[in-house]
Amino acid sequence: MVFKIRKWNIVQANGIGLMAMILILYFIRQGDFSRQMLLFFFGSSIVLESLSRTAIRYILQHIRKKGFNQKHIILIGNSRVTEQYLERMQNNPQWGYQVLGILSDTLVKEETYHGVRVLGDIGRLSRLLEQNKLDEVVITLGMSEYQRLEGIV
C-alpha cells in the first residue's frame, strides 16, 4: 500500500511538471515542439525515478542491517508505548534505529527490559545528553508520569 502511494506521488509530481512545461511553451509561443517527446520524457522520468528510489531504499536497508548509518536513541519512561516502540524497532532493523537504553524511575538500573538495558533514572538524562552520543530522545512516559514532561523537555 505504501509503495503504491509513493508511486502515485511520483506520477503526480511528473504530471505537474509536464503541465508546467506545456504551459511555459504555450506562453513563450513555442508551438513547434514534439508532444510525443514530452510524453516519452514523462513516462521515462516516472520509471527512472521509481527505479532510483527503490535502489536507494534497498541499499540503505542493506547498509543499516550491517550496522552502519544507525540512529542512536534512548527511551524515557516505561509504559505500553515503550513496549510497542521497542517491538517495532526490533522488527524493522532496516529503519536504522539502535536503542541504547531506557531511562525510567520505575525500573531497576542495569536490568534489561525487552532486551534493552535500563540506564538508570530519568535524572541521568542531562549527563547522557552532555556526552553527545545520541541522535534522538524518545519520550514514552505513561499517563501517570506526564507531570514530569515539562522538566524533561
Side-chain angles (χ1 to χ4, degrees), residues 94-110:
Q94 71 273 13
W95 290 352
Y97 288 102
Q98 183 180 12
V99 181
L100 296 179
I102 299 173
L103 294 177
S104 175
D105 292 337
T106 59
L107 296 173
V108 179
K109 183 179 179 181
E110 298 301 326

Side-chain angles (χ1 to χ4, degrees), residues 7-133:
K7 218 174 209 181
W8 176 245
N9 289 342
I10 292 171
V11 171
Q12 282 181 325
N14 283 295
I16 291 170
L18 178 68
M19 287 187 284
M21 187 65 186
I22 291 171
L23 191 65
I24 290 170
L25 290 171
Y26 175 76
F27 279 131
I28 62 172
R29 300 187 193 287
Q30 190 70 5
D32 228 7
F33 61 90
S34 172
R35 286 160 185 82
Q36 288 178 338
M37 189 62 185
L38 285 175
L39 290 177
F40 174 75
F41 180 75
F42 173 72
S44 63
S45 65
I46 290 172
V47 170
L48 292 174
E49 188 173 352
S50 297
L51 288 175
S52 66
R53 285 175 174 255
T54 303
I56 291 170
R57 189 176 308 116
Y58 283 122
I59 289 169
L60 284 174
Q61 286 176 356
H62 180 73
I63 289 172
R64 286 181 179 147
K65 283 182 182 178
K66 287 190 170 205
F68 298 107
N69 195 21
Q70 296 284 317
K71 298 174 196 102
H72 300 88
I73 63 172
I74 61 168
L75 302 176
I76 299 176
N78 176 26
S79 66
R80 191 166 30 107
V81 175
T82 309
E83 295 174 18
Q84 292 171 348
Y85 199 89
L86 286 172
E87 183 180 318
R88 287 186 181 164
M89 294 302 110
Q90 291 167 351
N91 289 340
N92 298 291
Q94 71 273 13
W95 290 352
Y97 288 102
Q98 183 180 12
V99 181
L100 296 179
I102 299 173
L103 294 177
S104 175
D105 292 337
T106 59
L107 296 173
V108 179
K109 183 179 179 181
E110 298 301 326
E111 79 175 21
T112 59
Y113 180 77
H114 292 278
V116 177
R117 191 170 62 125
V118 178
L119 301 174
D121 61 353
I122 296 174
R124 288 197 61 201
L125 177 63
S126 60
R127 285 179 281 180
L128 288 172
L129 291 175
E130 288 172 1
Q131 293 174 358
N132 201 18
K133 294 182 180 179

